[in-house]
Amino acid sequence: MANNGQVQDFVPISDLHPNTTHPRVAGVIIGKTDVKSFPDRKKIGLDRFTFGFTIKDSPDYFINVSSWGNDRYINGLSNSFSVGDCVIIENPLVATKDSEKDDRFCPSTPSFYRLMVSEAHSQLSICADIEIMNRLLPLLHLPVKDYRDFYSLGDIMANGQSLDGNVINILAVVRSVRPENIKYFTTADGRKGQRLEVKLFDDSVTSFPLVCWDREAIQLVQTLIPRETVLFISDARIGYDGFRNCMTATVNSKTIITVNPDTKEASLLFNYAREVSESGVLDEDDRLGDVWLYHQSHQKPVVRFDRDTHGHLIIQFICISPKMLYSDSFYFLLKRNNAITLITVVSSLLSSKCRYQVNEESQSCSNTACPGVDHPLTVTTGFDLLVDVTDHTGTLQSCSLNGTVAEKTLGCSHNEFANLTEDERTAIKWKFLLERCKVYFKITPSSKSRSGMRCSVLECSLADPGEVKQNMSALGSSCSPVL
């Protein structure tokens, strides 16, 4: 009975109001920011310190808490608890939040208020009551946003740079966390910082970067078990990394990370992750570093090697000539021999699990790590083209252009192409033959090729002269190639 009385002594977050006197609140920490300092405008030469955190006491209600004070008090308070701890806050100030300011820099909460903890009037302690902890701890696995409102990693890749700068929710699995890769730095004004990149994956993308800058976020992700931990990441900021030519997600002050969320979608993703992990597909290296090749006569970078977020090697052709920039742009060349029938529509057997092509004679998948050995096969119809790409330095032969990439490039579906006349098909070919194009490639190892690699076109479009000149000028003046 004593415990029941103690539980009822707490004011629920949903009932908090500025008129509440001497409130006592119990909650579980679901988010926390690093300690920051600012010059004290009242006491010249001194700094004021602050940090914030978010507590939750029911499936639907959570609230932001902030604390200001001197170095000793704020750092001592911050070091006394972590995300996942159950705490009791006594006599906090209940203030009406500035919805525009608070929701811009802090997690968005359903409460109209925020709590302020001060050294003079408030007290925070770790909860040791088993009954209260048993009630609060399950809340850690409930996302703070609608559990159905999220982007898969494939969705992010499909939307590309249109998501740059947006804040979205993500459901994904931790692929790798490497504490030894934490990078420490000092800013120009003497502040110390750190950075850790975590790799995520799901059923659509095998590797996607999540960047953590805050010490609190880094401490949290270091506790996660790779390939066995599903994350619902609320309000992650999406950005485009121009150096690596890929999309990234970043943990910021609004972000709440829910570990192993208690949802159907998370459970299905966890089962997929376990299946893929056991298949060995994820055991290959995550990434190669950037490598620049030099043109022999002009000593300018003409090819850039990088990894995309799927872990595949990409070659981006970048031609820089001191003489005639535009005339040295790369050409996209369809093979001359049998050029009309080269653009073919084929039907192929595919594994229903990994979507690799199946050998029709053996009825077996060409992917040795395919998890769907005992699953039924499916038939698909689409483009299957081989093209050559050339510039003044050489030619990449027999590059694969197929599927939706081919449809987007040619401007028609395989069904529409099948109904075209021979003259119409020839017109499509000459739209690209010997024309300057911007082409992105994926390079994967292949035992069936004499070169030991397979080249696939990821994207192809006719080059815009103005864009080509602008990009080449920027690369020529700012890049520092490394052999």
Side-chain angles (χ1 to χ4, degrees), residues 177 196 198 210 212 216-224 231 257:
V177 182
L196 176 63
V198 178
L210 174 69
C212 302
E216 295 291 341
I218 291 175
Q219 288 179 347
L220 173 62
V221 299
Q222 284 181 298
T223 66
L224 306 179
L231 302 180
I257 299 177

Side-chain angles (χ1 to χ4, degrees), residues 328-468:
D328 279 344
S329 296
F330 281 73
Y331 299 110
F332 182 73
L333 175 65
L334 292 178
K335 279 189 174 179
R336 296 177 182 275
N337 56 310
N338 201 17
I340 300 301
T341 57
L342 178 67
I343 305 179
T344 57
V345 179
V346 298
S347 295
S348 302
L349 280 173
L350 298 179
S351 164
S352 60
K353 271 302 202 182
C354 72
R355 310 304 295 170
Y356 272 55
Q357 191 164 346
V358 171
N359 185 298
E360 295 191 19
E361 294 183 0
S362 64
Q363 295 288 297
S364 60
C365 181
S366 57
N367 178 14
T368 57
C370 177
V373 177
D374 299 324
H375 289 74
L377 303 175
T378 58
V379 178
T380 185
T381 303
F383 286 110
D384 188 13
L385 293 75
L386 292 177
V387 298
D388 289 352
V389 179
T390 186
D391 79 330
H392 65 290
T393 65
T395 300
L396 280 177
Q397 297 181 333
S398 300
C399 301
S400 175
L401 175 62
N402 50 38
T404 57
V405 177
E407 291 185 353
K408 183 177 179 181
T409 300
L410 301 177
C412 64
S413 67
H414 58 273
N415 290 326
E416 293 170 336
F417 180 84
N419 295 322
L420 297 179
T421 64
E422 290 298 316
D423 289 341
E424 290 172 329
R425 297 183 184 187
T426 301
I428 291 179
K429 178 199 71 172
W430 281 103
K431 179 181 178 182
F432 294 94
L433 185 63
L434 296 177
E435 292 294 333
R436 300 175 180 90
C437 289
K438 183 179 180 181
V439 188
Y440 290 88
F441 298 91
K442 175 180 71 178
I443 304 296
T444 53
S446 174
S447 58
K448 299 179 181 180
S449 172
R450 287 182 299 176
S451 64
M453 65 180 186
R454 180 175 182 268
C455 181
S456 302
V457 177
L458 295 178
E459 181 183 338
C460 173
S461 59
L462 292 172
D464 177 73
E467 180 186 7
V468 170

Side-chain angles (χ1 to χ4, degrees), residues 156-157 160-161 163-165 183 195 197 199 208-211 213 237-250 287 290 304 306-309 314 316 440:
I156 299 174
M157 297 296 296
Q161 295 186 49
L163 287 178
D164 188 22
K183 297 179 180 179
R195 181 185 186 276
E197 185 169 293
K199 297 296 184 182
F208 187 91
L210 174 69
V211 181
W213 296 92
R237 184 171 297 279
I238 301 301
Y240 173 69
D241 187 331
F243 180 73
R244 292 185 291 179
N245 191 32
C246 69
M247 304 304 294
T248 65
T250 302
R287 165 183 172 77
D290 288 338
R304 180 185 179 188
D306 198 1
R307 286 279 194 184
D308 65 6
T309 53
I314 289 181
Q316 180 180 357
Y440 290 88

